[in-house]
Amino acid sequence: DTGVSQDPRHKITKRGQNVTFRCDPISEHNRLYWYRQTLGQGPEFLTYFQNEAQLEKSRLLSDRFSAERPKGSFSTLEIQRTEQGDSAMYLCASSRTSAGGEQFFGPGTRLTVL
Amino acid sequence: TQLLEQSPQFLSIQEGENLTVYCNSSSVFSSLQWYRQEPGEGPVLLVTVVTGGEVKKLKRLTFQFGDARKDSSLHITAAQPGDTGLYLCAGRDGRRGGSEKLVFGKGTKLTVNP
């Protein structure tokens, strides 16, 4: 399978703990995106990378959130001091660098903060 | 802020019926993508429309992009239970130098009853 993969698929944590999610994009895609989706809503943009450079961050991405893509391949999204409001599906997508580059999504990581 | 409004929010129909889902905005988009999402999974790309007035067909699904690139519709002919899911439209910023992020609607939850 050469699609976008995410790990873990599910994460349950207690409030105040730190969590880290991983995303492996489609191999020839050099753009990688993170989105967050809460119940009853469409995905909301968090941040995106072109190769290893983080080019855009949403205001939704508070200082407790950090994303990295150190070698321009896989990416990690870390949430520090989790809050119950962080409970959501975290989605990763990747695309080529081209006009209209279509974004292909992974299966997501479902985070539950107790 | 670019927004996409989808309607209806919920749709429950019988197998064999036809339906149309709408996606509207006051903003211009460079492209618009339609996704289908199953519970607990990431969105799966169905189609991308780029040119104003463009019509694309995917088996029983017909997608149209408005002439002004501000709206789109998805029409399903002879719906089947396998069409059940959440249909999301997502647009890319049409402005010069605009963001690469996708702006999503809240989705239309379709249930096709056998």
Side-chain angles (χ1 to χ4, degrees):
Chain A
D1 184 11
T2 57
V4 178
S5 62
Q6 292 187 244
D7 184 69
R9 292 293 311 276
H10 304 275
K11 179 72 177 178
I12 299 174
T13 192
K14 293 183 179 179
R15 191 175 53 184
Q17 298 294 305
N18 299 343
V19 294
T20 301
F21 309 140
R22 177 180 169 124
C23 171
D24 286 87
I26 294 171
S27 57
E28 62 266 29
H29 288 183
N30 53 8
R31 282 186 178 160
L32 186 149
Y33 309 79
W34 286 99
Y35 292 82
R36 181 173 70 185
Q37 186 177 24
T38 53
L39 205 60
Q41 303 293 321
E44 294 176 292
F45 172 78
L46 292 178
T47 188
Y48 98 92
F49 294 83
Q50 180 159 311
N51 300 315
E52 61 274 4
Q54 188 173 19
L55 295 187
E56 188 175 352
K57 291 197 294 186
S58 163
R59 284 170 289 180
L60 290 175
L61 212 65
S62 76
D63 56 5
R64 296 184 299 106
F65 288 69
S66 62
E68 293 183 341
R69 196 183 182 198
K71 297 182 180 178
S73 55
F74 73 91
S75 175
T76 58
L77 177 68
E78 181 183 15
I79 309 175
Q80 295 183 326
R81 305 181 304 280
T82 52
E83 301 173 356
Q84 288 184 323
D86 297 331
S87 295
M89 173 79 93
Y90 288 84
L91 294 162
C92 176
S94 70
S95 74
R96 299 177 191 275
T97 308
S98 61
E102 297 171 322
Q103 295 183 25
F104 295 88
F105 282 81
T109 294
R110 166 72 67 188
L111 173 65
T112 303
V113 182
L114 302 176
Chain B
T1 302
Q2 296 181 304
L3 294 173
L4 276 168
E5 300 285 339
Q6 282 190 245
S7 61
Q9 192 174 353
F10 299 95
L11 190 55
S12 181
I13 61 171
Q14 293 300 122
E15 183 175 2
E17 292 184 359
N18 301 333
L19 67 117
T20 302
V21 173
Y22 300 93
C23 179
N24 296 295
S25 177
S26 58
S27 303
V28 174
F29 293 97
S30 62
S31 66
L32 199 138
Q33 299 172 348
W34 283 91
Y35 292 85
R36 182 167 149 238
Q37 186 176 27
E38 304 278 355
E41 298 293 330
V44 175
L45 182 64
L46 296 174
V47 79
T48 298
V49 285
V50 178
T51 306
E54 183 176 5
V55 176
K56 280 191 174 178
K57 292 194 174 185
L58 186 68
K59 297 183 180 178
R60 294 177 293 102
L61 278 60
T62 302
F63 304 85
Q64 185 163 7
F65 202 12
D67 291 341
R69 291 184 288 127
K70 292 182 179 182
D71 55 85
S72 181
S73 63
L74 158 60
H75 182 80
I76 301 179
T77 304
Q80 299 176 1
D83 295 327
T84 293
L86 179 69
Y87 289 83
L88 293 159
C89 65
R92 286 183 62 174
D93 197 334
R95 296 166 293 184
R96 180 172 294 182
S99 171
E100 292 298 325
K101 70 183 180 188
L102 290 176
V103 174
F104 279 84
K106 289 186 178 181
T108 293
K109 189 170 182 181
L110 172 66
T111 303
V112 182
N113 302 298

